[in-house]
């Protein structure tokens, strides 16, 4: 059975026992999917599953704590749920997880860079290609060329936690050594060049906080330090100092917690590659604590603990 058929069947079975189930439906045009809150059979009929289903729906869960809901999760999204469970920000018994084996999702900015997508009529996926029809004609290109960067090094195409699984479990088919490729390119620069690189990138930031709002692990919400007036950590000025300060603040608040889902970067209207900053910290956390966020519900995140002697840090050798 196709994954979408299995999903619909499983959702139907669980619908009575939950308030709603979060999935995706067709968005305002053929190129966009949007989150769907399923409460009825008619809603189930609107459900879609294809490489346009980019959103990490786990982002909704912390604010729904205390209510029983269902959620559809790709492999990368399932890591957010594991991390949220580890931190006690959600309760396992309150969530029904519909896992989906995932071959990858598109990066719409890569499609926009190739063609005018202002009036898309139809999008189809077949044999590793994507075909996009507009009033001007039809373009077909390999899906790999427009996949989200995270998918090109995906190590968890099958969700790590689920109650129901749609699609055949997939083994990782992407090379793990690509995981930190972009980080390593920046690491090759000397300190001055690195600073110039980030000042150039971050100068485009308009501090809209879409990156924060899309992040499943950014849970302070209305109490975010970026919005606080007492103490007033961040001024209203739009200088590079405030922009850099905001990004350091955000990156450090998800240090050891970031599950690499890429939502921060996907949501950014200024196409700033901020996931690289998180990836750099993830790389350091892996080296220091041998820890990868969101892969094991039994783990305790390293920054949630304190030990006089960390087994992986040999301070006396410094
Ligand atoms: S990173 Fe993996 S699980 Fe996530 S969207 Fe890409 S291929 Fe799917
Ligand atoms: S989404 Fe982009 S522009 Fe908005 S605050 Fe984040 S980095 Fe800045
Ligand atoms: S910081 Fe970005 S990549 Fe990390 S969990 Fe949040 S949205 Fe996902």
């Amino acid at each position: 059975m196709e994954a979408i058929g299995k999903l619909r069947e499983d959702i139907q079975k669980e619908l009575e026992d939950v308030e709603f189930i979060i999935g995706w439906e067709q968005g305002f045009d053929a190129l966009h999917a949007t989150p769907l809150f399923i409460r009825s059979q008619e809603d189930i009929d609107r459900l879609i599953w294809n490489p346009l289903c980019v959103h990490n729906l786990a982002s909704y869960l912390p604010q729904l704590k205390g209510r029983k809901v269902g959620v559809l999760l790709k492999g990368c999204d399932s890591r957010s749920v594991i991390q949220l469970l580890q931190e006690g920000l959600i309760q396992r018994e309150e969530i029904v997880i519909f896992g989906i084996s995932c071959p990858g999702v598109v990066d719409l900015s890569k499609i926009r860079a190739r063609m005018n997508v202002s009036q898309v009529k139809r999008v189809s996926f077949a044999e590793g290609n994507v075909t996009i029809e507009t009033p001007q004609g039809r373009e077909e290109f390999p899906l790999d060329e427009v996949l989200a960067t995270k998918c090109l090094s995906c190590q968890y195409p099958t969700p790590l936690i689920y109650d129901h699984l749609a699609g055949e479990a997939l083994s990782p088919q992407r090379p793990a050594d690509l995981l930190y490729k972009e980080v390593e390119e920046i690491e090759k620069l000397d300190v001055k060049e690195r600073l110039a690189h980030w000042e150039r990138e971050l100068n485009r930031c308009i501090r809209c906080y879409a990156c924060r709002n899309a992040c499943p692990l950014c849970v302070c919400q209305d109490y975010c330090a970026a919005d606080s007036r007492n103490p007033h950590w961040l001024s209203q000025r739009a200088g590079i100092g405030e922009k850099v300060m905001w990004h350091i603040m955000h990156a450090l608040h998800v240090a050891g917690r970031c599950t690499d889902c890429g939502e921060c970067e996907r949501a950014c209207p200024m196409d700033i590659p901020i996931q690289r900053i998180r990836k750099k910290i993830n790389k350091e956390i892996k080296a220091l604590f041998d820890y990868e966020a969101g892969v094991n519900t039994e783990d305790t995140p390293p920054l949630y603990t304190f030990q006089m002697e960390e087994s992986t840090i040999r301070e006396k050798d410094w």
Side-chain angles (χ1 to χ4, degrees):
M1 187 193 292
E2 258 196 277
I4 185 76
K6 170 85 164 65
L7 275 173
R8 290 201 171 113
E9 211 175 83
D10 291 338
I11 289 173
Q12 213 155 25
K13 280 185 214 147
E14 297 278 3
L15 200 53
E16 274 202 0
D17 292 329
V18 295
E19 244 184 88
F20 50 78
I21 294 165
I22 317 169
W24 303 271
E25 68 175 324
Q26 192 62 63
F28 67 92
D29 73 1
L31 192 60
H32 293 82
T34 52
L36 166 71
F37 289 73
I38 301 169
R39 292 186 167 86
S40 64
Q41 179 59 49
E42 294 76 57
D43 295 338
I44 297 178
D45 297 340
R46 281 157 50 201
L47 179 76
I48 61 164
W49 163 243
N50 63 38
L52 299 174
C53 299
V54 292
H55 314 85
N56 179 355
L57 303 175
S59 305
Y60 288 106
L61 296 178
Q63 58 192 292
L64 295 169
K65 193 175 177 190
R67 298 161 73 177
K68 186 153 187 197
V69 299
V71 65
L72 271 58
L73 297 177
K74 307 184 285 288
C76 51
D77 307 339
S78 74
R79 290 181 59 193
S80 309
V81 165
I82 291 177
Q83 186 67 26
L84 289 168
L85 285 170
Q86 285 175 4
E87 297 185 26
L89 293 165
I90 56 175
Q91 296 296 324
R92 181 67 182 97
E93 61 277 12
E94 290 174 358
I95 297 158
V96 180
I97 300 173
F98 300 85
I100 317 169
S101 293
C102 171
V105 297
V106 298
D107 178 341
L108 290 178
S109 65
K110 289 186 184 171
I111 296 181
R112 281 197 302 269
R114 299 176 73 118
M115 62 183 290
N116 178 359
V117 292
S118 54
Q119 290 175 293
V120 174
K121 290 202 302 200
R122 222 166 80 86
V123 180
S124 50
F125 300 93
E127 292 166 13
N129 287 332
V130 49
T131 306
I132 300 180
E133 291 171 45
T134 68
Q136 289 75 43
R138 184 173 184 277
E139 295 235 17
E140 181 170 336
F141 32 83
L143 184 57
D144 259 23
E145 289 180 12
V146 290
L147 276 185
T149 305
K150 65 177 177 176
C151 303
L152 300 174
S153 58
C154 175
Q155 299 304 302
Y156 302 105
T158 304
L160 296 168
I161 186 171
Y162 55 81
D163 299 299
H164 303 275
L165 180 68
E168 291 293 310
L170 300 170
S171 51
Q173 286 149 10
R174 305 287 180 174
D177 57 2
L178 291 184
L179 208 54
Y180 299 118
K181 184 170 168 268
E182 295 161 305
V183 170
E184 281 151 9
E185 276 163 19
I186 298 170
E187 283 172 341
K188 283 182 203 144
L189 305 175
D190 69 30
V191 173
K192 270 194 182 156
E193 289 169 332
R194 257 187 257 178
L195 185 63
H197 167 85
W198 282 115
E199 284 188 348
R200 218 169 30 244
E201 293 285 0
L202 298 182
N203 215 7
R204 297 202 301 283
C205 178
I206 53 174
R207 274 170 58 198
C208 64
Y209 302 137
C211 49
R212 172 195 70 182
N213 298 351
C215 175
L217 277 316
C218 261
V219 289
C220 301
Q221 299 188 5
D222 294 341
Y223 302 99
C224 176
D227 297 328
S228 159
R229 290 292 172 268
N230 186 16
H232 197 186
W233 295 103
L234 217 49
S235 88
Q236 293 298 99
R237 282 187 294 271
I240 187 67
E242 284 80 9
K243 295 175 187 189
V244 170
M245 173 71 171
W246 154 238
H247 283 283
I248 291 174
M249 197 187 263
H250 189 198
L252 291 181
H253 282 191
V254 290
R257 309 173 60 235
C258 166
T259 53
D260 228 357
C261 71
E263 284 293 89
C264 47
E265 190 164 308
R266 182 188 64 75
C268 178
M270 304 307 287
D271 288 335
I272 304 173
I274 45 174
Q275 196 187 349
R276 280 176 216 176
I277 305 174
R278 282 78 178 139
K279 265 185 186 288
K280 168 70 176 162
I281 297 178
N282 287 351
K283 187 175 174 231
E284 299 301 326
I285 293 277
K286 176 87 179 139
L288 281 174
F289 299 102
D290 192 23
Y291 177 79
E292 199 178 1
V295 294
N296 186 351
T297 41
E298 306 305 312
D299 283 348
T300 305
L303 301 186
Y304 270 57
T305 61
F306 174 77
Q307 295 175 46
M308 291 302 283
E309 300 262 349
E310 288 283 352
S311 61
T312 44
I313 304 177
R314 285 196 290 278
E315 288 178 59
K316 295 193 179 80
D317 295 351
W318 290 358

